[in-house]
Amino acid sequence: LTDPDAVPRWIFLFNCFAMLAYQSLDNMDGKQARRTGSSSPLGLLFDHGCDALVTLPGSINCACLWGVSFRNDPAIAWLTIVCPAMSFFMGTWEQYVTGEMYLPIINGPSEGLIAGAAFSLVSYLWGPEFWHSATAYDTWIAPAITSITTVEYESGRVRNCDIAYYIFLAWLVEESTTRIFGLARKYGPRAMLSLIPFALLSCASMTIYFLDSSFVLRNTRTCLHIFTAIFVEMTFSLQLNHMTDSEFRPFRYAMIPLGLIVLQLACKGGGSPDEFLLAYAAVLWIFLLR
């Protein structure tokens, strides 16, 4: 947080306005297309493809404004990146299975983006250091607990970013479990097969860090590029299969090199796959943008 190369504060203010603009435009484009009669399957695919593409950069922005990274807070950094992607993928999966997109009253495209803009504004005003202080816990939560129990609290025990993370995680768990159990009960276990690629991607990214955290720290940006590219590929394919009424294949060829990286790190042989990782990222993006 005291690094001279840290993100300048004005970036957080710009990010705040950018997220609000994106939130407004993203909620207006579909209504405008239907109002003018210009809606089309291609427009829907392009819209969701762009949303998938910006999901991971938005999550990385959130990690930056919270001041968390894989070096100082690996668990929160990983969940900050994976959880929004999970929410987006499960929304697309629900649309693929049911044929309709349902957004709960509190959802990512509306309230989630507004919350992200508010987080950015706080980081602009008080800096990312605010999220590593314990003002919310010491001022409101701990005194409230003490007033109804005999438990003594320790000052500074829970940071502000921890509280925001716990609230976000509780919302995601509730939303995900409701969707999974609801669709499994209605459409059977076969509907769960489409969730396998994202589950494997999440587990593989976590496994790589546990096997060799220095590998992730050396190649953080490249790892994030790969995660984003694979996520966009599988989400875009799921949306395309929904539109063409075809079957989504859980087996994704784009994830084979990722499995080889996990295997090499697990076997501790053949050196570190740094160069292979860079080539993998380049080929993935060429494949997506071809």
Side-chain angles (χ1 to χ4, degrees):
L1 295 176
T2 58
D3 186 354
D5 295 326
V7 179
R9 280 205 192 179
W10 68 266
I11 292 291
F12 301 130
L13 182 62
F14 177 81
N15 189 59
C16 172
F17 286 110
M19 293 188 76
L20 290 175
Y22 171 70
Q23 189 264 356
S24 299
L25 295 173
D26 187 47
N27 283 283
M28 290 167 52
D29 57 359
K31 295 179 180 179
Q32 173 69 7
R34 289 187 290 271
R35 187 182 70 84
T36 59
S38 57
S39 60
S40 67
L42 180 60
L44 176 65
L45 189 64
F46 180 79
D47 180 28
H48 283 275
C50 291
D51 291 338
L53 187 61
V54 302
T55 297
L56 272 300
S59 302
I60 296 169
N61 284 346
C62 190
C64 291
L65 64 89
W66 277 352
V68 299
S69 69
F70 288 102
R71 190 178 302 276
N72 58 19
D73 284 290
I76 292 184
W78 182 79
L79 287 167
T80 301
I81 292 170
V82 171
C83 287
M86 176 181 174
S87 178
F88 187 92
F89 186 82
M90 292 194 67
T92 307
W93 165 69
E94 183 182 41
Q95 185 180 24
Y96 167 74
V97 174
T98 65
E100 298 178 356
M101 174 169 281
Y102 169 75
L103 291 176
I105 296 177
I106 299 177
N107 57 78
S110 297
E111 288 75 17
L113 289 172
I114 292 175
F119 293 156
S120 298
L121 183 60
V122 169
S123 293
Y124 167 71
L125 295 174
W126 293 288
E129 298 84 1
F130 169 84
W131 300 105
H132 292 261
S133 65
T135 52
Y137 177 79
D138 292 342
T139 306
W140 297 298
I141 298 177
I145 295 174
T146 305
S147 66
I148 59 177
T149 67
T150 58
V151 177
E152 294 292 333
Y153 76 92
E154 180 183 350
S155 177
R157 187 175 180 181
V158 181
R159 300 172 301 176
N160 295 333
C161 66
D162 295 329
I163 296 174
Y165 156 71
Y166 293 145
I167 294 173
F168 174 69
L169 186 61
W171 164 75
L172 180 67
V173 170
E174 187 277 332
E175 181 190 42
S176 301
T177 52
T178 300
R179 278 176 168 164
I180 290 175
F181 286 108
L183 295 183
R185 185 168 56 251
K186 186 175 182 179
Y187 295 94
R190 184 175 176 79
M192 304 297 105
L193 294 177
S194 302
L195 295 176
I196 292 177
F198 186 83
L200 290 177
L201 176 61
S202 302
C203 292
S205 61
M206 180 173 57
T207 302
I208 289 174
Y209 184 86
F210 280 118
L211 289 174
D212 188 355
S213 59
S214 63
F215 172 73
V216 177
L217 295 177
R218 287 196 310 271
N219 304 281
T220 303
R221 291 186 180 182
T222 308
C223 290
L224 292 173
H225 275 295
I226 290 175
F227 188 96
T228 302
I230 296 176
F231 169 74
V232 170
E233 189 275 333
M234 65 175 62
T235 306
F236 190 85
S237 297
L238 189 61
Q239 183 68 34
L240 182 62
N241 290 133
H242 157 66
M243 293 172 52
T244 57
D245 198 22
S246 56
E247 186 176 358
F248 176 75
R249 300 190 313 272
F251 179 78
R252 313 306 301 173
Y253 289 102
M255 294 185 64
I256 294 178
L258 187 63
L260 296 177
I261 292 175
V262 173
L263 184 63
Q264 183 175 355
L265 292 175
C267 295
K268 304 291 184 181
S272 181
D274 291 57
E275 294 79 7
F276 176 73
L277 188 77
L278 184 60
Y280 179 28
V283 171
L284 269 177
W285 282 109
I286 291 172
F287 168 74
L288 287 175
L289 300 175
R290 73 190 192 283

